């Protein structure tokens, strides 16, 4: 399960895990954090190194840097005779080549901004003494550090100067430290196998950003669409044009209601946009008091390459919407050059329209994948039917239908294919949102039936339809139950250049649970292997500009012109909330070699004022957030980021300095006595009622002196800082379900019990099942500063859809609990 650090209405943050505490309290085990002197991840050299051969497979040097270091070596050794060369050449080479080490930033103490970068790498004590005894005459030639030259005659002071704060990283011991070298260069996985990635904030202050497309014209600019009907232009430096690229908010049908599925839903540029300036949009509209979905064509302005000519709109297609939900919204051009349109089934629940529903009715346009030809449409019909569309010869079928039996496909993408072998090129991946039990991922093929409403995922939904032998449906490549998430957001297969470990991964998410997930095709079994993405913990994301947290509601995914991957999410799922952020996915374990992915964007003629990008998110290194005042005791506040038009906020403090300050502050912390606080009234959640928990057997003792919201931790070992979370509500003790359970909720628990830090939010009944109790809380979503879990968002007391194998727990800590 994902270990997230979630805020109410806020994205899922990477957990402050065992790693952070190992760093803070100087305890083992050591966790690797490979980093070069340019503060970027190591890489595999494209050409074999001939001098620093110990790092020929993975490190921080390419062949050019390798030659530079070799030249330095010979300049130094030219000062020695044969005997001196034979005695010291090996030491000099070893020391010089540590610039190529995948841990170079550690070895040269470059990560701590409060100390100067060393000119010699950190050496282990025994190695340093040996080097000093045999070859101290090389010190002045190796470095221009005057302090080191002064220490040249004092072995103890010299070696003490080169000693690292973290002895695990000293040379040469780190070469044989299995904890550092195991899986070096691979994506780091936590103890549960969840792959740890990081993020880069790309854009913020957006209102439900749900589409991001690139111009594909060499400029590397991209356009981000908001649900209200505005599209913004962003330049490669992430600055935004003040004038919208497109503004049809006056006609787009939407509302401020959280979860409203209507609005501006899709955007795609024509494959030859660079030449014809055409783009296509998908949006909700009201015509004569009837709701419809509309697909329109626009053209770029003749006078401004960053603005649409709003008078150029031509309505390509309109479809009546019988309900306000399940509106579909994806538009894309596949490799065949045709426009694909993905419609929902019409809404409500269970596709109740007609005898078999809209999705199974090929004479209806709802619940379908449509394919049309919009080329050469300047004269004559606005679109034509591709001659190989599968149902053009069926009298009762609409000729636009390409595939059917879909419920509400939300976000689809075309696989670019492997850049060398072209394997996978042209496949269309879609996430199809489920009804009651399952979410699914499909690969779209011509003429296929994807099963809805007969099936939901791999299971039957309409048993009568499901038993029909003529159904002939295609099963999804993957489906997951609603305990993992309740609204899939389709993603992309990563085909970018910057992060080789991610190649071929289909990365997608879930809107409700905030999960980021991976599917990867197993070439041997032809099945799709599943994994999860969690945010990097400890030092994993400690690179300049990287963060390890995101807003929970994952709306959409995107790729830029170079093939790098992004996703959009929001803290408040409302078309009028400015809490939307765009993030770039980053693998901190390995990058492509320098200059391999370099490109020079073509210039963009700008006629609008530029708004510089100011990142607002931070790397999370604090163990617990500071308490902030609440507007009302009964309602946890939701943070609404400022509008994009407001004055930029001051730049955030240096990420590394913040972390180092936390390390220094640990000496000032004290242990608090566990306390119990009086909670506010509970909030009712919006989830439908689920299974009732089982009441404990026997007579319940009167415990009226205990306040509502009081907590206790239960474990077999009797340890007071960890265990299954049990809460007292309305005269009974009960457990908490781990649906949406995260480090922010655990932070509330730990603080209420008097601890300074949260180490882990545990799931899957790690501390045993509380079968003798009822499950009292489910779907708990906290900001992290509430006084009680009852102050957080949660389902109605005693209402849940889980079992005791999902009982939530925590591990808390103070400075004295160094074992955690």
């Amino acid at each position: 399960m994902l270990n997230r650090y979630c805020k109410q209405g806020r994205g899922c943050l990477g957990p402050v895990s065992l790693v952070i505490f190992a760093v803070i309290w100087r305890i083992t085990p050591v966790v690797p954090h490979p980093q070069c002197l340019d503060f970027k991840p190591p890489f595999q050299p494209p050409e074999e190194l001939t001098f620093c051969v110990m790092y020929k497979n993975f490190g921080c040097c390419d062949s050019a840097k390798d030659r530079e270091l070799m030249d330095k070596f010979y300049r130094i050794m030219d000062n020695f005779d044969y005997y001196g060369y034979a005695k010291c050449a090996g030491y000099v080479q070893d020391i010089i080549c540590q610039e190529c080490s995948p841990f170079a930033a550690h070895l040269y103490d470059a990560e701590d901004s409060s100390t100067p970068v060393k000119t010699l790498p950190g050496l282990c004590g025994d190695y340093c003494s040996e080097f000093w005894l045999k070859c101290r005459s090389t010190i002045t030639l190796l470095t221009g550090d005057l302090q080191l030259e002064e220490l040249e005659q004092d072995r103890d002071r010299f070696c003490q100067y080169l000693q690292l704060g973290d002895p695990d990283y000293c040379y040469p011991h780190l070469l044989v430290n299995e904890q550092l070298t195991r899986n070096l260069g691979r994506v780091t996985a936590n103890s549960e196998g969840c792959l740890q990635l990081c993020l880069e904030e790309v854009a913020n202050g957006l209102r439900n950003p749900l589409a991001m497309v690139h111009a594909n014209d060499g400029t590397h600019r991209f356009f981000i669409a908001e649900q209200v009907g505005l599209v913004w232009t962003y330049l490669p430096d992430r600055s935004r044009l003040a004038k919208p690229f497109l503004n049809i908010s006056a006609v787009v049908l939407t509302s401020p209601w959280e979860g409203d599925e209507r609005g501006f839903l899709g955007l795609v540029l024509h494959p030859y946009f660079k030449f014809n300036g055409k783009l296509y949009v998908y949006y909700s509209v009201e015509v004569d008091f009837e709701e419809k979905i509309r697909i329109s064509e626009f053209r770029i302005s003749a006078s401004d390459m960053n603005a649409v000519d709003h008078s150029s709109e031509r309505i390509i297609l309109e479809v009546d919407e019988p309900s306000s939900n399940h509106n579909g919204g994806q538009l894309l051009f596949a490799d065949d050059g045709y426009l694909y349109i993905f419609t929902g089934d019409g809404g409500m629940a269970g596709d109740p329209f007609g005898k078999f529903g809209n999705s199974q009715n090929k004479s209806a346009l709802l619940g379908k994948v449509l394919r049309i030809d919009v080329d050469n449409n300047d004269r004559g019909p606005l679109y034509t039917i591709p001659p190989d569309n599968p149902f053009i010869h069926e009298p009762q079928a609409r000729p636009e239908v390409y595939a059917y039996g879909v419920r509400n496909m939300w976000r689809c993408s075309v696989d670019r294919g492997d850049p060398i072998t072209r394997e996978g090129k042209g496949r269309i991946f879609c996430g199809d949102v489920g009804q009651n039990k399952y979410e699914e991922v499909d690969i779209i093929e011509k003429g296929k039936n994807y099963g809805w409403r007969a099936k939901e995922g791999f299971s039957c939904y309409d048993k009568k339809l499901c038993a029909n032998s003529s159904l002939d449906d295609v099963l999804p490549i993957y489906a997951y139950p609603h305990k993992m998430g309740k609204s899939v957001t389709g993603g992309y297969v990563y085909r970018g250049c910057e992060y080789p470990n991610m190649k071929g991964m289909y990365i997608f998410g879930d809107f409700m649970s905030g999960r980021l997930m991976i599917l990867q095709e197993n070439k041997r079994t032809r099945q799709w292997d599943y994994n999860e993405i969690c945010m990097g913990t400890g030092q994993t994301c400690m690179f300049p500009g990287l963060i390890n947290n995101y807003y929970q509601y994952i709306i959409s995914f995107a790729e830029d012109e170079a093939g790098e991957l992004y996703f959009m999410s929001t803290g408040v799922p409302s078309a009028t909330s400015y809490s939307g952020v765009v993030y770039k996915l980053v693998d901190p374990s390995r990058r492509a070699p320098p200059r391999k992915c370099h490109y020079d964007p073509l210039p963009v003629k700008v006629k609008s004022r530029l708004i510089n990008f100011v990142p607002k998110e931070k790397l999370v290194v604090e163990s617990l957030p500071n308490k902030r005042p609440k507007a009302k005791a009964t309602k946890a506040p939701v943070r609404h980021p400022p509008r994009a038009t407001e004055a930029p906020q001051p730049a955030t403090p240096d990420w590394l300095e913040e972390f180092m300050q936390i390390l220094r502050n640990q000496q000032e912390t004290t242990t608090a006595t566990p306390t119990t606080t009086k909670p506010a009234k509970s909030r009712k959640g919006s989830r439908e009622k689920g299974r009732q928990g089982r009441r404990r057997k026997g007579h319940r003792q009167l415990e009226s002196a205990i306040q509502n919201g009081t907590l206790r931790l239960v474990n077999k070992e009797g340890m007071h800082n960890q265990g299954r979370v049990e809460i007292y509500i309305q005269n009974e003790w009960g457990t908490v379900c781990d649906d949406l359970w995260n480090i922010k909720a655990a932070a509330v628990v730990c603080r209420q019990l008097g601890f300074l830090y949260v180490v882990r939010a545990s799931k899957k009944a790690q501390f045993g099942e509380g079968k003798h109790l009822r499950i009292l809380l489910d779907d708990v979503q906290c900001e992290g500063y509430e006084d009680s879990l009852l102050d957080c968002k949660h389902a109605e007391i005693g209402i849940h859809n889980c079992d005791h194998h999902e009982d939530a727990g925590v591990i808390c800590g103070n400075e004295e609990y160094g074992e955690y």
Side-chain angles (χ1 to χ4, degrees):
M1 300 288 289
L2 278 172
N3 290 330
R4 292 187 183 79
Y5 185 178
C6 296
K7 303 179 184 177
Q8 175 189 330
R10 179 81 193 263
C12 294
L13 309 174
V16 181
S17 68
L18 301 176
V19 177
I20 281 289
F21 290 90
V23 173
I24 291 176
W25 292 323
R26 311 297 310 148
I27 63 172
T28 57
V30 64
V31 177
H33 181 230
Q35 190 177 59
C36 300
L37 287 173
D38 62 358
F39 302 106
K40 295 179 181 179
F43 54 89
Q44 181 179 347
E47 300 174 14
E48 190 167 317
L49 307 186
T50 58
F51 180 64
C52 297
V53 292
M54 68 179 75
Y55 301 120
K56 65 179 181 180
N57 295 320
F58 190 68
C60 294
C61 292
D62 57 12
S63 56
K65 183 64 176 179
D66 186 55
R67 289 191 295 271
E68 178 187 320
L69 294 176
M70 183 166 60
D71 291 342
K72 179 179 180 180
F73 168 81
Y74 284 118
R75 285 197 304 272
I76 292 172
M77 298 314 301
D78 281 346
N79 293 280
F80 294 88
D81 57 18
Y82 174 82
Y83 175 76
Y85 187 99
K87 185 171 64 168
C88 296
Y91 287 106
V92 172
Q93 183 176 11
D94 285 349
I95 290 171
I96 287 176
C97 284
Q98 295 321 302
E99 289 189 42
C100 299
S101 168
F103 298 104
H106 293 269
L107 284 165
Y108 287 86
D109 205 16
E111 291 185 314
D112 186 349
S113 60
S114 65
T115 61
V117 177
K118 295 183 183 296
T119 56
L120 290 183
L123 303 179
C124 301
D126 51 352
Y127 181 90
C128 182
S129 294
E130 190 177 289
F131 164 69
W132 185 89
L133 286 170
K134 295 181 180 180
C135 300
R136 62 178 176 271
S137 58
T138 64
I139 293 174
T140 55
L141 300 172
L142 282 165
T143 176
D145 188 335
L146 296 178
Q147 188 171 356
L148 271 176
E149 293 177 10
E150 292 175 4
L151 300 176
E152 181 183 348
Q153 302 306 318
D154 189 325
R155 180 182 65 178
D156 292 340
R157 292 179 63 199
F158 172 78
C159 290
Q160 185 178 7
Y161 183 83
L162 291 183
Q163 195 174 42
L164 294 176
D166 188 343
D168 292 300
Y169 285 96
C170 69
Y171 179 83
H173 293 177
L174 86 168
L175 297 178
V176 293
N177 188 328
E178 188 178 348
Q179 290 178 312
L180 289 177
T181 56
R182 186 193 306 125
N183 298 324
L184 189 61
R186 299 180 184 177
V187 180
T188 306
N190 68 8
S191 59
E192 297 175 341
C194 182
L195 300 182
Q196 297 190 58
L197 297 181
C198 305
L199 304 173
E200 229 180 294
E201 187 182 358
V202 173
N204 53 37
L206 293 158
R207 292 170 292 183
N208 271 12
L210 46 73
M212 170 179 158
V213 299
H214 60 84
N216 197 32
D217 60 359
T219 63
H220 290 266
R221 61 193 163 133
F222 49 92
F223 308 102
I224 298 177
E226 297 178 312
Q227 188 177 349
V228 290
L230 280 88
V231 182
W232 302 97
T233 304
Y234 286 79
L235 301 184
D237 64 359
R238 298 177 184 173
S239 60
R240 176 173 69 82
L241 272 62
K243 178 183 177 182
F245 177 70
L246 175 67
N247 183 359
I248 56 171
S249 56
V251 296
V252 168
L253 175 64
T254 189
S255 77
W257 305 335
E258 292 188 17
D260 192 343
E261 298 179 22
R262 302 168 301 175
F264 189 103
L265 302 177
L267 167 69
V268 67
L269 307 187
H270 193 280
Y272 297 105
F273 171 78
K274 180 179 180 179
F275 306 105
N276 62 24
K278 290 184 177 181
L279 60 143
Y280 299 84
V281 299
Y282 185 129
Y283 62 96
S284 305
V285 65
E286 187 175 76
V287 180
D288 297 329
F289 304 104
E290 296 291 335
E291 291 188 13
K292 298 177 182 287
I293 54 174
R294 175 181 289 172
I295 290 85
S296 287
E297 176 188 271
F298 286 89
R299 285 182 182 270
I300 203 74
S301 168
S303 59
D304 188 348
M305 66 185 298
N306 297 304
V308 167
D309 179 358
H310 290 73
S311 67
S312 67
E313 180 176 14
R314 298 197 300 168
I315 299 172
I316 300 292
L317 184 67
E318 283 187 345
V319 183
D320 291 337
E321 271 286 355
S323 183
S324 61
N325 61 337
H326 300 186
N327 302 300
Q330 182 70 52
L331 295 174
L332 59 80
F333 282 94
D335 284 4
D336 55 18
Y338 297 128
L339 177 63
Y340 288 70
I341 303 167
F342 298 79
T343 63
D345 65 5
M348 290 194 259
D351 193 5
F353 308 102
K355 186 175 180 181
F356 302 115
N358 281 325
S359 295
Q360 291 297 319
N361 179 6
K362 286 181 280 189
S363 66
L365 293 180
L366 294 172
K368 304 293 185 299
V369 180
L370 310 178
R371 183 173 73 154
I372 60 177
D373 185 352
V374 292
D375 284 344
N376 305 311
N377 66 349
D378 293 334
R379 294 184 178 86
L382 294 174
Y383 72 87
T384 58
I385 304 300
D388 62 337
N389 266 16
F391 304 114
I392 56 176
H393 300 300
E394 288 190 20
Q396 302 302 318
R398 288 290 298 257
E400 296 93 342
V401 176
Y402 182 78
Y404 64 106
V406 306
R407 183 177 179 273
N408 190 34
M409 287 189 162
W410 183 248
R411 292 319 179 228
C412 305
S413 64
V414 179
D415 186 357
R416 293 187 180 198
D418 185 278
I420 298 173
T421 67
R422 317 309 283 172
E423 182 179 2
K425 182 173 170 53
R427 294 180 299 184
I428 300 175
F429 289 80
C430 286
D432 198 4
V433 179
Q435 180 70 48
N436 295 331
K437 294 182 177 180
Y438 295 100
E439 306 296 307
E440 67 181 67
V441 176
D442 299 295
I443 295 179
I444 303 303
E445 299 177 54
K446 182 170 69 174
K448 299 298 185 181
N449 178 4
Y450 288 85
W452 177 251
R453 73 181 183 200
K455 289 184 178 178
E456 178 187 12
F458 294 104
S459 69
C460 289
Y461 178 81
D462 184 322
K463 294 183 178 179
K464 183 178 287 187
L465 273 178
C466 192
N468 190 329
S469 59
S470 64
L471 186 64
D472 191 27
D473 62 315
V474 175
L475 294 175
I477 63 170
Y478 182 74
Y480 61 91
H482 277 187
K483 65 179 292 184
M484 292 173 57
K486 298 180 179 178
S487 183
V488 65
T489 300
Y492 283 78
V493 177
Y494 179 79
R495 301 296 187 186
C497 171
E498 294 181 14
Y499 306 111
N501 287 334
M502 291 167 54
K503 286 188 181 296
M505 292 180 176
Y506 176 71
I507 298 177
F508 65 110
D510 188 275
F511 175 80
M512 291 300 295
S513 69
R515 254 188 185 84
L516 287 168
M517 297 170 276
I518 292 172
L519 295 178
Q520 196 154 22
E521 190 172 15
N522 186 314
K523 302 296 174 53
R524 182 177 57 83
T525 64
R526 310 306 297 178
Q527 301 297 310
W528 292 81
D529 297 331
Y530 171 82
N531 213 323
E532 290 190 12
I533 294 173
C534 51
M535 292 295 95
T537 58
Q539 297 184 67
T540 304
C541 297
M542 290 192 67
F543 294 87
L546 297 193
I547 57 175
N548 58 353
N549 59 93
Y550 60 96
Y551 282 107
Q552 173 182 345
Y553 300 104
I554 301 173
I555 305 174
S556 191
F557 286 79
E559 61 180 2
D560 63 18
E561 193 165 343
E564 301 307 320
L565 211 55
Y566 303 76
F567 71 92
M568 288 146 272
S569 67
T570 184
V572 182
S574 164
T576 58
S577 170
Y578 287 86
S579 62
V581 182
V582 180
Y583 305 94
K584 180 181 179 181
L585 284 159
V586 174
D587 173 16
S589 62
R590 179 186 172 194
R591 58 167 159 157
R595 294 177 293 279
K596 180 179 180 181
C597 306
H598 177 78
Y599 57 82
D600 293 310
L602 295 177
V604 178
K605 296 179 180 178
V606 174
K607 295 188 175 182
S608 169
R609 179 173 61 89
L610 285 176
I611 300 174
N612 292 327
F613 171 61
V614 179
K616 297 179 181 178
E617 306 305 318
K618 300 178 183 179
L619 178 74
V620 174
V621 291
E622 294 87 357
S623 49
L624 286 179
N626 293 324
K627 291 181 67 175
R628 291 178 287 179
K630 294 177 287 188
K632 293 182 180 180
T634 58
K635 186 174 182 180
V638 176
R639 185 175 79 103
H640 292 264
R643 296 170 182 261
T645 55
E646 293 180 356
Q649 300 298 311
T652 58
D654 178 76
W655 61 275
L656 191 51
E657 178 56 34
E658 286 187 342
F659 181 73
M660 297 309 299
Q661 186 60 47
I662 288 172
L663 295 181
R664 292 189 283 269
N665 288 345
Q666 296 311 305
Q667 304 303 319
E668 302 173 8
T669 60
T670 58
T671 303
T673 304
T675 58
T676 303
T677 58
K678 184 175 181 179
K681 295 180 181 179
S682 64
R683 294 183 55 182
K684 291 186 177 181
S686 60
R687 176 182 288 193
E688 298 176 0
K689 293 185 177 181
R691 303 186 304 275
Q692 294 289 338
R694 289 177 291 183
R695 294 184 179 272
R696 57 188 290 189
K697 297 178 181 179
H699 297 286
R700 191 169 59 230
Q701 295 181 349
L702 294 176
E703 301 177 88
S704 57
I706 303 177
Q707 298 173 340
N708 269 351
T710 298
L711 298 173
R712 66 187 182 192
L713 301 182
V714 179
N715 61 81
K716 295 179 181 179
E717 292 76 22
M719 302 185 72
H720 70 287
N721 70 311
Q722 59 183 273
R724 180 177 65 250
V725 175
E726 295 185 359
I727 187 168
Y728 187 80
I729 304 175
Q730 298 171 1
N731 296 320
E732 68 172 314
W733 286 98
T735 64
V736 180
C737 180
D738 68 11
D739 285 353
L740 305 181
W741 187 251
N742 52 60
I743 204 101
K744 293 294 281 193
V748 174
V749 172
C750 291
R751 181 186 292 106
Q752 184 175 338
L753 294 175
F755 294 97
L756 296 177
Y757 306 110
V758 56
V759 180
R760 177 180 294 174
S762 69
K763 300 185 178 184
K764 297 182 180 178
Q766 177 183 345
F767 297 103
E769 299 181 12
K771 292 183 177 180
H772 59 292
L773 302 176
R774 282 206 306 148
I775 298 173
L776 295 182
L777 283 186
D778 190 11
D779 287 351
V780 177
Q781 299 180 69
C782 301
E783 280 278 5
Y785 52 76
E786 294 87 350
D787 291 324
S788 163
L789 292 180
L790 295 181
D791 294 343
C792 305
K793 277 187 176 180
H794 55 76
E796 189 174 350
I797 303 299
I799 301 301
H800 60 87
N801 68 342
C802 51
D803 208 338
H804 280 293
H805 68 272
E806 300 170 78
D807 281 347
V810 297
I811 301 177
C812 306
N814 287 316
E815 188 172 30
E816 64 191 61
Y817 301 121
E819 68 269 27
Y820 300 109

